[in-house]
Amino acid sequence: MQVPNDRQRPSTPPRKKRRRRNTAAIILLVVLLLLGAASFFVFGVNKWSIRFHLHGEPEVTRECGEPYKDEGADAEVTGSILDFVHHPVAVVISTEGVNIHEPGTYMVTYTAKFLWLSATEKRKVTIVDTTPPVIELKHIDDYYTLPHHPYEEEGFTATDNHDGDITSRVTSEERDGKVYYTVSDAAGNTASAEREIFYDDRNAPVFHFPDGEEVFLFKGETFKDAVTADDDADGDVTARIQISSNVNTAKVGTYTVNYKVSDEWGNEATASRYVTVKRKPAAAPKNMDPKKVIYLTFDDGPGPYTQDLLKILKKHKVKATFFVTAAFKDYQKLIRSEYKAGHTVAVHTATHDYEQIYASPEAFWEDFNTMEEIIRKQTGCRTDIFRFPGGSSNTISANYCEGIMSTLAQQSADKGYTYVDWNVTSGDAGDTTDGDVMYENMMNGIHTYENSFILCHDIKDYTVKMMDKFITDALKEGYTFLPITSETLTCHHGINN
Ligand code: ZN
């Protein structure tokens, strides 16, 4: 019998071969088991996640308007058990919703992704307005408020970090020499400011003389001083006026009254004015025809022929009016004679120089006062009647000062003076030197007007010479001659400049 080959020549012993195969399988199995267990552990038991690390606080608060810069965050992948794993992941930050100019609560969002993992984190950002507004007060240089007067605002502004310009919301209150300002913003933050009021009074009181800058009254009348004074700060200070006066209404003459008053601040004002007590005008003759009245007026004297004229007037017991000048110094004492004889003495001009007196209102009144004082020296009294050189209608004054006559007319009324023009001219101002022509002019005039104001010049010899005849004939015709007084119906030409 033959043994098969394979039995005859076995390559390996069969027991040993089988044992080797089993070992490999076991190892493989173990490896597979281990791998499965590891996988189960790594991806099953262990949970992977993305973890954030916020830089800074999770909740931040910022003032409105303050810039906000997010501090950022890091993220990493880590396991719940395998927490030694720290795999960094990119973070996307979104601050889009945050409005630093509007108070409120906002969220900053952080997003990170890795493979199948995705996560977000948030940070709370609160914008608040706790800043009060700012009030700025304006100050004007050298600004002051009158005592007793309300403060007049120099100005202010109010601005708020959130609300912007809130000037219109400012309220102010004046109290005890201060002004208090307050304003609130929409968030309720309040600001206040105050200013001290600087009081000052730099003006003295001002006097008012409603009864004229100069007073004229007749002897025996009562002088009741109508002076008042007011002050820019104190108002009416009339009660505090101190008056020193020696006015004696029982005696004809010109008196000076002095006034003094101070305001509470200590500013003092002084003034003085003339009060003239005039002699009473003679009563009009009982048999006078009111439609036949003549006011003879003589300008530009007294001069060399005035004395003769006074004699003629005296002879006829006729009163006239003299508008005097200072032209003839040697004859100035005749002003006194005119006055004592019962004629009216009135101002004409000291110089009769148009260019000088009509240069300005001031120049006019300077000349006027010079003449007024000469009259006062001669008669003891100032006079409330005057005649403009050239008459109120003159246009020659326009050569020197536009509109001066209008100004002077108003000023004279304020000062208490009455100016008188004429409605009849004798013609002796240059038209004629013939007494007969003058006579005709004057007769025609008085036959035309019920009240004739006749212009004559006592510095013309031919005027004085013809006067006796004129007066004689006018008296024969039943005319009455009267001196002009402040009671007389005035005669005005009308202003042309
Ligand atoms: Zn004249």
Side-chain angles (χ1 to χ4, degrees), residues 299-300 348 352 354 389-390 457:
D299 290 11
D300 299 357
H348 191 32
H352 216 300
Y354 290 122
H457 295 81

Side-chain angles (χ1 to χ4, degrees), residues 298-301 323 325 348-349 352 354 387-391 422 455-457 459:
F298 296 96
D299 290 11
D300 299 357
F323 292 100
T325 68
H348 191 32
T349 164
H352 216 300
Y354 290 122
R387 172 169 284 168
F388 283 113
W422 58 89
L455 173 66
C456 304
H457 295 81
I459 56 167

